[in-house]
Every structure is written in C-alpha cells, then in structure tokens.
C-alpha cells in the first residue's frame, strides 16, 4: 500500500501514545469521550489496534441492492430542492455511486470515493492525504488516520467555478461499525470555486440508543484565490455520537465560509481547525446549535493566523432546552508575523431551562502588535423585558418566545448564501423551536 | 371602564401602592402626577401585568372583568395598552412583523376574521402618518438604534395600530424635545374618542398643555392625595408637590 502503510502505523502509535482523552484533557474537559466508550460495545482495549489490517477497503460494507432501494426512498426526506440535484451519497462512509448523481459538473471536477482515488489519483493523495490533520495533535485524528476506510475525494481543478451546489448526504445506518472512522479530502486548486452542503443524517429502523461512535475527519485545502463555502447540517442524528474534525488549510487570497448547524445528535463534538497560511485570506465561521433532552453539543474552533493582512469572523449561537449541555471553545492564534489581522469572535447562548448549561471559552493568543481582535460572549435566559413588551402588545407567551428565539437564530441563518438552503434551514429551525416552545 | 378599588401592591416585600382608588369612564383623559418614587410607574406596571410586582390587596375591574386575573396578553386583547417609559430594543424582530402577529391574535381572541394583508398595510401607512413615523423605521428591528423621540413615536404608532380602549402613557414625555413632544401629543389627540380613555402619567405639567386632561390626580407615597381638573396641574407647576402633599 505504499505510503499508506507507514502512515497508518505512525497514526496508531500516536493514538496509543495519547490514548482516549479523559477529564484531565484540557481539550476534552467538558466533553469527556470516555463515557461513549464506557459500557458500550466499544472499549479502547478491544479496539484491536494491533491487529488492524492496512486495507483501504475498510471495515464498512457496502449496502446490498435491496438496502439501496430502501435507502434511496429514505433519503428523499433529506432532499433540498435547488441543492440536492447534484448529490453524493456516503453510507457509513462508503461512497455509493448508485445513489449519487452529478449532472451539472463542469470539466475539471473530480468526485469519487477516497478508496478509489487511492489507486486512480495516487499522486494527488500522496501529496495531500493526512498532510494537514496532525496525528500528534488529537487522538481522534490519529484514530481516524489509522482506521479510516473510505469517504469522499473531491478536486476542483484550477480556475473552475462549479455553478451548482454539491450536496453530500452523509448517512449513518444501523449497519455502521460501533466505531466508524470516515474520511474526506476536498481539494480546491488555484481560483477554483465551489459551494458544498453536507447533511449528516441517521437512517435507522429502530430507535437508536447511541451505540455508534462516528469519528469523521475532513481535510479541506484551499489553494490561492480559491473560494469554498462549506455548510454542515447536522440534522436527524438521533442516537448518534459524533466526533467531527474539519481541518482546513488556506493559501493566499482564499476565501473560506462555513456554517455548522447542529439540530440533533446525542453527543456531538465539532472540531474546526483552520490554518491560514498566507496573506489576504478571508475566513467566516458560523455556528448554530439547538439542543434538548440530554443532548450534548461541543464546538471547538481554532483559527491560526500565520500571515499578515487577513480577516476572520466568527459567530456562534446556541439555544439549549431541558438538561442539554453545550460547549463553545474558540481559539484564535495570531502569530508574530501576522500583522494587520482583523479577527472577531462572538458567542451567544440562550438557556431555555434552569437545568441546561453551557461552557464558553474564548481563547485569544496574539503575538503580533498591529492587529484588531475582539471577542464577546453572553449567556442568559430569554430577555424578560422583551417578552413582557411583546406580550403587552397582545402576543401570546408562545408567539413572543418563538419570535425572540427565531430572531436570535436568524443572525446565523441569514448569513447562508444559498437561498434554498437558507429557506430549508429556517424551516427546520422553526419546527424545532416550535417543539421546544410547546413543551 | 376601569375601576380601581383600594389597590395595594409592592415589589420584593416592599409595599409601594398603599390603597389606590380611581374610576375612569369611557372617553376620559386622566392625568396622574407625582414626585419620584410616589408609585406612578408601579401603578402602570401593575395594570399592564408585569410579574415582578405583587398585588397584596384591592381589585381592578376593566370593562367588568377582573383585570388582575388576566395575563399581559389577555389584558392587551381586552383593550389595554401601555406605552412604555423605556421602550425595549428587540434585535431581529421588526415592529411590523410582531404587530402583524399581535393583531392576528387579538382578532382571533375577539372572534373577528383575520385582517387581509392589504388592509393591514393600508392601516400601517395611515397610522405612521399620524405620528410622522418614517416608513422604514417600522420595518427595522424594534427600537434598535432609534432616537428617544423615534422610540416614543413608535409607541404611539403601535397604540394607533392596536386601537385600545384604555391607553396608559407612562412618562411618554420623558426625554422628548418640544418638537417631538408636539408630534406625540398630536398623535394621541387624534386618537381621542368617546370610547377610548387615557391615563397620562407624567412628572411635569408641560405634556398636559398638549394633551389636555379631564381629571388630574396627585399620587404621593402610594396614595392619591388630591384630585381635580386641569387647574390642579397648573397649581402643581406653580407650587410644586411640597405644599400639596403636606
């Protein structure tokens, strides 16, 4: 397997050295993954790390023809008109050609399974695969690199603008391994432009009780002057425990715009690591999470500004009901040479119940002297004065609540540039808020 | 229309209203004046249903209904309106948007058919003209970035839209320059009718030059200590509260 064998070995060693993060880990302090592996069918010692085979076909099986028919039907529920016309379906990380359709791709767009790319586009993979996500930096990056069987490979060639949005349907089914490692590599060459929407959904015949742990990793490379909009919709993921790492490299004058919208899932950890390694880049990070029950959602962002004259904007908002818990940890590094950086961060949370909690931690480390950086965070209950104001005008308590929460969430949703996706997201959010309000 | 009998209320265990009696008939304008801390804002808050206040005694009948048993939205739907002393800023919610919902819910409560979109818009235009409110303001987030005058005009605009039978103006004159005061008062005067009553709460006689009251009451230490006609307001202006409350 050439380069992959030694890489997997190194990754495994790195995982064994780091081990699963526990409560003492600074990075996983409020999201202790040990509990996901405790009492479940997965135990670190039973992972069989020493006996892993270095076969990229991986541990996941492709669904049978019969299952594909069922899946095709089930997936209609997640279609977004104006977005899903060009779609790629991954089932438990395995690229499913039969369910994918890409009618509007211009020349220069390459989309295939990662496992397939390993033979067909070997030199590209050798150059980029695992070159950005550091196996020493996080045990889950290591674990993914050691195990990942399949996923998506996408390359947009130099100068190509993809006019139509590409919808990735990231499907998890009952057949997924107890610990599923999946991997994407998205490569934008010079001046390439594309909009990608990724919906993560669970398709299950039974009520999922949170057996699965999905450890996914995407490496995104934005070459000079390229532009990527990357929207993630974590919806209909009941029962899912997800560790999702997105590792981004931005080169000169590139533009990265991303949204992470989490409306479902039992235990969700999003790591968004962005290395801005050249001048005149723009980076926009937006997040919205709406939780209930005993859900747990953790957003960890890292923007590493290494070079001058860049701008980054961050806006994360959370609405937490019941006994749910949230975490926002936003790190911004501004390196010594990175002068004239504008970096802003804002995190706001509304707690709908006294039992909901959120831990917010902005972390700015600035080593350059000519920069503009700011951060702000607020956590509170719904503004009682605003509630009274609206009710005193005749609005029911329910309507007033809905209006205030919807307005709060809109700040994030309104920045979605794809109109049909914005409408779709608004619709999902109103439905979810209605549910939380009527309780 | 409104009958307040021996109303006692307070906050955090401290009694502020110590037995208010007040009868307001249809079409009447009552001014309530009093020094700081006399209980003026407590009275308006209790009438509008602010939950921080605890009513410890007495009763309030609004068109025969026990007002104190109703929640704030029910009071509004029954025809009560409070113009806030400090209107709240609500990011992301436009005045037009929430008024549309408010009017729909009020009409449903009253068993009236829904208002057609074009009739609603026509009404918005009409009422905006009444308080000389720029059209763009009503489409913006409620009171966000509004000047003091714009906020108060927005209150009167909402009052005009909701067509209450009893409107309480809580220190609507505070923070207004003379031109804004004239515009606001003018708006209120146009809304006066034989079926609509007003309670004008104010510190100064100035507002009453523009909104001429039928009755003036002096509130002091949680009680109405003197009632009269508009001459009483003049007298207060001349002599101050000191003499009257002695």
């Amino acid at each position: 397997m050439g380069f992959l064998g030694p890489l997997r070995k190194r990754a495994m060693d790195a995982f064994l050295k780091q081990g699963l993060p526990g409560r003492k880990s600074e990075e996983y302090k409020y999201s202790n993954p040990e509990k996901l592996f405790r009492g479940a069918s997965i135990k670190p010692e039973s992972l069989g790390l020493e006996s892993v085979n270095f076969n990229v076909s991986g541990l996941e099986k492709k669904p049978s023809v019969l299952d594909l028919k069922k899946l095709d039907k089930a997936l209609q529920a997640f279609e977004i008109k104006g977005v899903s016309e060009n779609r790629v379906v991954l089932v438990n990380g395995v690229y499913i050609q039969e369910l994918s359709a890409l009618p509007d791709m211009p020349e220069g767009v390459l989309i295939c399974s990662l496992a397939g790319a390993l033979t067909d586009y070997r030199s590209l993979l050798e150059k980029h695969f695992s070159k950005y996500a550091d196996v020493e930096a996080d045990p889950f990056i290591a674990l993914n690199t050691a195990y990942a069987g399949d996923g998506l490979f996408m390359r947009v060639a130099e100068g190509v603008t993809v006019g139509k949005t590409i919808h990735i349907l990231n499907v998890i089914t009952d057949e997924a391994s107890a610990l599923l490692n999946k991997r994407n590599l998205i490569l934008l060459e010079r001046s390439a432009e594309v909009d990608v929407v990724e919906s993560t959904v669970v398709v299950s015949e039974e009520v999922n009780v949170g057996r699965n742990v999905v450890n996914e990793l995407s490496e995104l490379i934005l070459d000079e002057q390229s532009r990527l909009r990357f929207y993630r919709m974590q919806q209909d993921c009941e029962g899912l425990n997800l560790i999702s790492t997105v590792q981004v490299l931005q080169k000169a004058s590139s533009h990265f715009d991303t949204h992470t919208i989490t409306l479902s899932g039992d235990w969700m950890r999003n790591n968004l690591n962005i290395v801005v390694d050249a001048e005149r880049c723009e980076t926009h990070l937006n997040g919205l999470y709406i939780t209930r029950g005993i859900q747990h959602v953790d957003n960890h962002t890292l923007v590493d500004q290494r070079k001058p004259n860049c701008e980054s904007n961050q806006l994360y908002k959370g609405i937490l009901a019941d006994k749910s818990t949230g975490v926002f940890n936003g790190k911004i590094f501004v390196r010594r040479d990175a002068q004239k950086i504008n970096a802003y961060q804002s995190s706001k949370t509304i707690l709908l119940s006294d039992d909901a909690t959120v831990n917010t931690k902005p972390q700015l480390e600035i080593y350059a002297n000519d920069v503009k950086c700011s951060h702000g965070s607020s956590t509170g209950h719904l503004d009682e004065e605003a509630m009274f104001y609206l009710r005193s005008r005749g609005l029911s308590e329910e309507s007033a609540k809905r209006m205030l929460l919807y307005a709060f969430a809109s700040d994030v949703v309104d920045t979605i540039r794809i109109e049909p996706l914005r409408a779709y997201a608004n619709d999902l959010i109103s439905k979810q808020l209605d549910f939380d309000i009527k309780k | 229309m409104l009958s307040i009998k021996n109303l006692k209320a307070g906050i955090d265990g401290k009694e502020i209203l110590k037995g208010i009696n007040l009868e307001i008939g249809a079409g009447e304008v009552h001014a309530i004046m009093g020094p700081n801390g006399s209980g003026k804002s407590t009275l308006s808050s209790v009438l509008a249903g602010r939950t921080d206040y605890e009513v410890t005694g007495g009763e309030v009948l609004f068109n025969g209904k026990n007002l104190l048993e109703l929640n704030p939205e029910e009071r509004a739907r029954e025809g009560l309106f409070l113009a806030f002393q400090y209107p709240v800023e609500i990011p992301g919610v436009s005045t037009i948007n929430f008024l549309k919902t408010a009017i729909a819910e009020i009409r449903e409560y009253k068993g009236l058919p829904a208002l057609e979109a074009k009739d609603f818009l026509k009404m918005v235009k009409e009422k905006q003209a009444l308080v000389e409110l720029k059209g763009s303001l009503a489409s913006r987030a409620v009171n966000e970035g509004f000047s003091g005058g714009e906020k108060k005009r927005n209150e009167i605009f909402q009052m005009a839209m909701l067509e209450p039978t009893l409107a309480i103006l809580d220190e609507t004159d505070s923070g207004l320059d003379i031109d804004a005061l004239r515009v606001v008062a003018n708006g209120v005067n146009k809304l006066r009718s034989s079926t609509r009553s007003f309670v004008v709460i104010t510190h100064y006689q100035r507002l009453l030059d523009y909104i001429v009251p039928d009755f003036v009451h002096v509130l002091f230490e949680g009680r109405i200590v003197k009632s009269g006609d508009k001459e009483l307001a003049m007298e207060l202006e001349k002599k101050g509260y000191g003499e009257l409350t002695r």
Side-chain angles (χ1 to χ4, degrees):
Chain A
M1 272 293 136
F3 76 96
L4 206 56
L7 177 63
R8 297 244 201 224
K9 173 81 175 68
R10 193 162 67 81
M12 212 163 46
D13 290 345
F15 175 73
L16 291 172
K17 202 172 98 194
Q18 296 168 80
L20 276 178
R23 202 166 301 138
K24 282 185 186 146
S25 152
E26 190 56 37
E27 290 301 309
Y28 288 86
K29 196 162 144 191
Y30 299 110
S31 301
N32 185 354
E34 269 178 348
K35 76 166 202 185
L36 304 183
F37 296 86
R38 198 189 302 144
S41 56
I42 317 154
K43 291 196 173 66
E45 59 270 28
S46 70
L47 284 174
L49 282 168
E50 63 287 348
S51 65
V52 69
N53 69 54
F54 298 121
N55 185 342
V56 282
S57 66
L59 307 161
E60 304 305 319
K61 283 190 202 76
K62 192 181 153 179
S64 70
V65 178
L66 196 73
D67 287 342
L68 282 180
K69 275 193 183 147
K70 261 195 214 162
L71 266 174
D72 196 24
K73 211 166 167 207
L75 292 183
Q76 285 172 8
F78 308 112
E79 266 176 31
I80 309 168
K81 221 174 175 265
V83 172
S84 309
E85 286 72 17
N86 290 275
R87 68 179 175 277
V88 175
V89 176
L90 299 171
V91 176
N92 302 327
V94 179
Y95 182 99
I96 309 293
Q97 182 88 49
E98 292 90 330
L99 300 178
S100 304
L102 294 160
D104 303 309
M105 289 302 110
E107 212 165 308
V109 179
L110 198 65
I111 295 172
C112 65
S113 87
L114 190 68
L118 208 60
T119 42
D120 297 345
Y121 306 101
R122 195 184 171 79
S123 60
L124 274 176
L125 256 73
E126 216 162 323
K127 192 172 164 199
H128 295 290
F129 185 78
S130 194
K131 289 292 191 293
Y132 312 99
D134 181 5
V135 294
E136 311 283 344
D138 185 307
F140 290 103
I141 293 178
L143 197 59
N144 184 286
T145 307
Y147 271 110
D150 202 358
L152 180 79
F153 175 61
M154 181 190 298
R155 187 209 63 179
V156 183
E158 183 171 341
V160 173
T161 297
V162 184
K164 292 281 166 64
T165 305
I166 298 170
H167 191 189
I168 303 173
L169 273 158
N170 185 20
V171 186
I172 310 298
T173 70
D174 294 331
E175 279 73 41
S177 304
L179 172 64
L180 169 62
N181 288 285
K182 50 189 291 291
R183 183 101 175 194
N184 299 327
L185 177 63
I186 297 179
L187 191 58
L188 271 71
E189 294 184 350
R190 260 184 84 94
S191 307
E193 293 188 14
V194 66
D195 293 350
V196 176
V197 176
E198 184 192 55
S199 303
T200 299
V201 299
V202 170
V203 174
S204 173
E205 302 219 333
E206 51 201 292
V207 180
N208 206 311
V209 287
R211 294 154 299 156
N212 293 76
V213 177
V214 174
N215 176 28
E216 62 179 26
L217 171 57
S218 297
E219 285 177 295
L220 316 177
I221 298 103
L222 283 79
D223 209 335
E224 292 176 12
Q225 289 167 28
S226 64
R227 198 211 67 208
L228 173 63
R229 292 198 186 116
F230 188 58
Y231 300 94
R232 285 191 296 163
M233 303 289 297
Q234 297 170 334
Q235 57 181 94
D236 299 278
C237 305
E238 242 162 274
L240 186 66
N241 299 308
L242 179 72
I243 299 143
S244 177
T245 304
V246 176
Q247 184 75 40
V248 185
L249 175 74
Q250 282 192 259
K251 294 194 185 171
S253 305
S254 65
H255 187 132
F256 180 58
D257 188 342
T258 192
H259 286 66
T260 307
I261 296 180
T262 311
L263 303 175
S264 175
D266 281 11
W267 192 98
M268 311 287 277
R269 165 68 178 244
N270 291 305
N271 296 315
L272 181 53
N273 306 327
I274 302 168
V275 176
V276 187
D277 202 23
E279 295 193 44
R280 295 177 306 281
C281 290
E282 240 187 81
T283 313
H284 299 277
L285 298 74
N286 299 287
L288 174 68
Y289 50 103
I290 304 178
T291 61
R292 62 167 82 118
I294 52 161
Q295 258 184 289
H296 177 75
V297 175
D298 178 347
N299 281 295
H300 261 62
T301 66
L302 164 64
V303 181
D304 185 358
Q305 299 282 4
R306 293 186 177 172
K307 296 286 156 64
N309 298 310
C310 293
E311 187 181 320
S312 70
N313 270 302
Q314 240 180 113
L315 175 64
Y316 270 76
K317 288 199 164 187
I319 299 172
L320 289 82
D322 305 333
K323 293 182 172 176
S324 62
T325 48
V327 181
F328 174 76
N329 191 110
K331 251 189 228 168
I332 300 176
F333 288 144
V334 181
R335 307 275 175 143
R336 197 183 306 268
D337 295 336
Q339 301 293 357
K340 309 267 183 209
I341 293 288
N342 293 334
Y344 305 105
Q345 183 188 89
S346 164
S347 156
K348 292 180 179 167
T349 322
I350 290 180
L351 303 174
L352 290 178
S353 97
D354 291 335
D355 297 324
T357 54
V358 68
N359 282 293
T360 305
K361 188 176 169 194
Q363 226 177 314
L364 270 57
E365 292 186 24
I366 300 166
Y367 301 100
N369 49 31
D370 185 14
V371 297
K372 281 185 194 153
C373 289
S374 73
H375 69 84
S377 84
S378 68
T379 300
H381 293 275
L382 263 181
D383 183 349
E384 274 180 36
E385 192 60 23
M387 279 295 289
F388 177 66
Y389 188 85
L390 293 175
R391 291 176 72 191
S392 80
R393 302 306 195 231
L395 261 86
S396 67
E397 191 174 359
E398 210 178 287
S399 296
K401 243 186 198 177
R402 182 183 299 117
M403 210 162 258
L404 293 178
L405 290 175
Y406 195 76
F408 179 77
S410 291
D411 269 356
V412 173
V413 182
D414 286 349
T415 57
I416 295 177
R417 297 286 189 86
I418 304 170
E419 209 280 318
L421 178 67
R422 190 167 62 237
Y424 181 79
N426 268 325
D427 195 44
L428 284 184
I429 288 160
S430 345
K431 275 184 195 143
Q432 176 132 357
L433 288 178
D434 275 356
F435 182 90
D436 287 332
I437 288 161
K438 281 185 181 138
K439 244 183 330 200
Chain B
M1 172 166 293
L2 186 76
S3 167
I4 305 176
K5 290 197 179 91
N6 199 26
L7 178 65
K8 293 178 180 173
I11 191 164
D12 300 329
K14 188 180 170 237
E15 193 171 64
I16 300 172
L17 301 182
K18 296 168 182 163
I20 302 271
N21 290 292
L22 188 62
E23 294 289 328
I24 295 171
E28 294 173 359
V29 176
H30 290 244
I32 296 179
M33 302 180 73
N36 281 331
S38 58
K40 300 193 300 290
S41 284
T42 302
L43 179 61
S44 67
S45 295
V46 168
L47 292 179
R50 210 184 266 278
T51 48
D52 338 359
Y53 293 89
E54 198 195 343
V55 176
T56 50
E59 68 167 7
V60 181
L61 294 177
F62 180 46
N63 291 326
K65 282 193 179 152
N66 183 352
L67 187 77
L68 300 175
E69 273 182 356
L70 306 176
N71 62 34
E73 57 267 37
E74 286 166 337
R75 296 178 196 205
R77 292 165 187 182
E78 288 289 339
L80 185 80
F81 181 89
L82 169 67
F84 279 50
Q85 184 180 0
Y86 305 108
V88 187
E89 296 187 11
I90 311 179
V93 176
S94 77
T95 307
I96 290 294
N97 194 12
F98 91 74
L99 276 178
K100 203 185 282 169
T101 312
I103 287 173
E105 291 185 5
I106 291 168
R107 291 180 74 92
E108 199 189 322
Y109 179 87
K110 290 181 175 165
L112 295 171
L115 200 61
E116 298 255 349
K118 68 169 183 356
D119 294 332
F120 175 77
L121 289 175
K122 197 177 143 211
M123 193 173 165
V124 167
K125 265 199 177 151
E126 254 173 52
K127 309 296 185 185
Q128 276 175 332
L130 195 74
V131 286
E132 300 174 32
L133 189 74
K134 269 185 285 172
S136 58
L137 281 186
S139 313
R140 271 175 34 194
V142 179
N143 297 324
E144 207 181 28
F146 285 26
S147 70
E150 285 168 340
K151 283 182 183 171
K152 295 297 170 81
R153 268 187 274 170
N154 194 22
E155 292 294 285
I156 305 306
F157 163 66
Q158 291 174 44
M159 178 175 90
M161 289 294 291
L162 297 172
E163 302 179 322
T165 50
L166 174 68
I168 304 167
L169 311 182
D170 189 2
E171 304 209 13
T172 295
D173 51 337
S174 69
L176 290 188
D177 62 32
I178 198 75
D179 290 329
L181 185 70
R182 204 175 285 137
V183 171
V184 165
N186 203 11
V188 171
N189 284 331
K190 283 182 190 156
L191 294 167
R192 283 177 80 157
S193 82
S194 60
T195 54
R196 183 171 294 139
S197 315
F198 289 87
V199 175
V200 182
I201 293 173
T202 182
H203 223 66
Y204 306 104
Q205 188 262 337
R206 189 178 70 156
L207 177 66
L208 305 180
D209 287 341
Y210 298 95
I211 305 171
V212 180
D214 301 308
F215 301 94
V216 174
H217 310 277
V218 178
L219 190 62
F220 183 72
E221 289 180 349
R223 284 191 188 89
I224 289 176
V225 292
K226 196 160 191 175
S227 296
D229 58 14
K230 64 182 181 199
E231 300 302 326
L232 178 57
M234 306 285 202
E235 204 182 321
L236 273 174
E237 185 74 5
K238 252 184 253 149
K239 298 182 182 167
Y241 289 109
E243 209 165 304
L244 275 157
T245 53
R246 211 165 285 150

